[in-house]
């Protein structure tokens, strides 16, 4: 195993197609340095989930395929891995939407994340107690049936379950979708804590641009399957284009990066 690389994840120029024809990603390159939080930002249909599923090798189950480029996880190409092998290697994805087993209790849901590890009952309890130190709300509701917990709690269950697999890297797909601002903040605090205290590297797809960047080290903005802009979280938060297009400080008629770039090149031509 070659794991001396500074990047836990290195995506190089990938192209992804569904059903052999629908081109979902054109040319996406993205790095996640070890121990960092990277945000993958973009509107509906931009290609965020597709990028995450390319990494967790879950595309096949949706008739999708990486048709160009490469992905390295911890210094090794992942093209031959299955999703469960990826989990075994410490790469765990939390899918979009809050997928809990509604008929199981909160605690049973969390424990189900340990299926890939052979743990004794004592080990499981020890892991659980550690996880509950981050998810205090879940500890209080451990015996409740998951179907009757709130949207925010279900999202926490999904992340807590992923932590039971002892990940080196988490792929989080819109963990705060549809949640009230206070819960969004609560979930980001937990994510940040898992990153700093447990050392988990994180790639996070989000539409909540502002709060995502405030809790990340670096960000990528994608539109129709292409990276339009990337930079440190701080530089993106201060970027005029990002402010205008993603942080709601909007000017009339410009809806995406392509419009902005077109306008900029026209202005340049005029001034030449
Ligand atoms: N299983 C699939 N089969 C065919 N096309 C798909 C499939 N999944 C996604 N696509 C297409 O790929 C493109 C990227 O979709 P993707 O789900 O990755 O976007 P996203 O950024 O996650 O959007 P959202 O914020 O709505 O979740 C879209 O054009 C979408 O229609
Ligand atoms: Mg998505």
């Amino acid at each position: 195993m070659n794991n001396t690389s500074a990047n836990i994840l290195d995506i190089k120029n990938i192209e992804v197609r569904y059903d052999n024809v629908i081109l979902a990603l054109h040319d996406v390159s993205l790095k996640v340095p070890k121990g960092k939080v990277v945000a993958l930002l973009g509107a509906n249909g931009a290609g965020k989930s597709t990028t995450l599923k390319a990494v967790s090798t879950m595309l096949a189950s949706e008739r999708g395929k990486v048709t160009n480029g490469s992905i390295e996880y911890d210094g090794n190409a992942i093209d031959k891995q299955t999703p469960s092998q990826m989990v075994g290697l410490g790469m765990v994805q939390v899918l979009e939407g809050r997928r809990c087993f509604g008929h199981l209790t909160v605690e049973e849901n969390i424990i189900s994340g340990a299926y890939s590890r052979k743990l004794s009952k004592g080990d499981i309890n020890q892991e659980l107690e550690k996880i509950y130190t981050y998810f205090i709300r879940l500890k209080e509701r451990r015996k409740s049936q998951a179907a009757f917990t709130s949207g925010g709690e279900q999202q926490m269950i999904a992340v807590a379950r992923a932590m039971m697999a002892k990940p080196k890297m988490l792929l989080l797909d819109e963990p705060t979708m549809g949640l009230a601002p206070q819960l969004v903040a609560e979930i980001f605090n937990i994510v940040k804590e898992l990153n700093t205290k447990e050392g988990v590297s994180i790639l996070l797809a989000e539409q909540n641009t502002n709060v995502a960047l405030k809790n990340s080290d670096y960000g990528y903005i994608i539109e129709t399957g292409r990276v339009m802009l990337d930079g440190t979280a701080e530089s993106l938060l201060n970027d005029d284009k990002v402010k205008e297009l993603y942080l709601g400080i909007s000017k009339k008629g410009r809806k995406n990066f392509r419009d902005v770039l077109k306008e900029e090149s026209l202005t340049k031509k005029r001034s030449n």
Side-chain angles (χ1 to χ4, degrees):
M1 272 272 196
N2 165 19
N3 53 13
T4 54
S5 162
N7 297 310
I8 189 154
L9 182 68
D10 192 353
I11 303 180
K12 290 182 187 146
N13 308 103
I14 57 166
E15 178 186 89
V16 170
R17 286 173 197 270
Y18 289 105
D19 296 311
N20 288 320
V21 282
I22 303 161
L23 195 52
L25 299 185
H26 294 262
D27 180 14
V28 170
S29 295
L30 177 161
K31 291 182 203 305
V32 179
K34 277 187 187 148
K36 299 290 182 191
V37 182
V38 173
L40 179 59
L41 306 162
N44 290 122
K48 303 180 296 296
S49 300
T50 301
T51 306
L52 299 191
K53 285 177 197 158
V55 173
S56 59
T57 72
M58 281 177 159
L59 279 176
S61 62
E62 297 194 24
R63 301 158 58 86
K65 205 175 167 204
V66 178
T67 43
N68 227 325
S70 65
I71 303 175
E72 278 182 12
Y73 168 58
D74 226 0
N76 296 287
I78 59 150
D79 50 332
K80 304 272 184 311
Q81 310 288 348
T82 64
S84 67
Q85 284 170 330
M86 290 305 289
V87 173
L89 292 170
M91 167 75 81
V92 183
Q93 178 166 9
V94 177
L95 291 165
E96 197 178 290
R98 299 158 201 132
R99 301 181 188 214
C100 294
F101 302 111
H103 57 291
L104 299 183
T105 65
V106 168
E107 186 155 293
E108 286 162 348
N109 266 280
I110 299 173
I111 290 172
S112 73
Y115 72 94
S116 62
R117 304 166 67 194
K118 293 184 178 63
L119 297 179
S120 66
K121 197 142 197 284
D123 289 342
I124 285 181
N125 285 334
Q126 216 176 335
E127 290 283 318
L128 257 178
E129 285 311 316
K130 190 174 83 182
I131 285 170
Y132 283 140
T133 62
Y134 297 100
F135 300 89
I136 295 151
R137 235 177 222 269
L138 297 185
K139 185 168 186 177
E140 289 161 5
R141 304 217 55 187
R142 65 207 289 176
K143 301 290 175 218
S144 307
Q145 197 180 326
F148 302 123
T149 58
S150 72
E153 285 161 349
Q154 289 182 20
Q155 190 63 63
M156 287 179 198
I157 293 170
V159 180
R161 184 173 63 202
M163 286 306 294
M164 277 306 272
K166 226 178 176 37
K168 283 196 233 170
M169 174 155 204
L170 276 181
L171 304 170
L172 303 179
D173 199 344
E174 302 205 42
T176 66
M177 196 191 341
L179 300 181
Q182 200 202 326
L183 269 165
V184 171
E186 198 175 325
I187 287 188
F188 269 106
N189 283 340
I190 294 172
V191 167
K192 200 71 201 132
E193 264 200 335
L194 294 173
N195 168 249
T196 51
K197 296 193 185 155
E198 298 294 320
V200 185
S201 308
I202 292 168
L203 177 60
L204 169 87
E206 260 298 341
Q207 293 197 43
N208 281 323
T209 306
N210 195 20
V211 65
L213 285 175
K214 283 188 173 144
N215 288 283
S216 301
D217 298 293
Y218 201 89
Y220 290 81
I221 295 181
I222 60 171
E223 238 177 58
T224 53
R226 287 191 177 86
V227 175
M228 304 307 279
L229 188 68
D230 65 291
T232 61
E234 207 191 332
S235 72
L236 291 179
L237 279 167
N238 289 312
D239 185 286
D240 287 339
K241 294 194 226 31
V242 176
K243 279 190 199 163
E244 182 186 327
L245 295 170
Y246 291 94
L247 301 177
I249 309 157
S250 170
K251 288 184 190 159
K252 262 191 290 181
R254 310 206 310 193
K255 291 196 183 61
N256 55 39
F257 262 100
R258 212 164 287 170
D259 290 347
V260 173
L261 297 176
K262 224 187 276 166
E263 254 177 64
E264 278 181 355
S265 79
L266 279 176
T267 321
K268 233 185 247 164
K269 267 188 208 149
R270 269 188 225 120
S271 63
N272 278 344

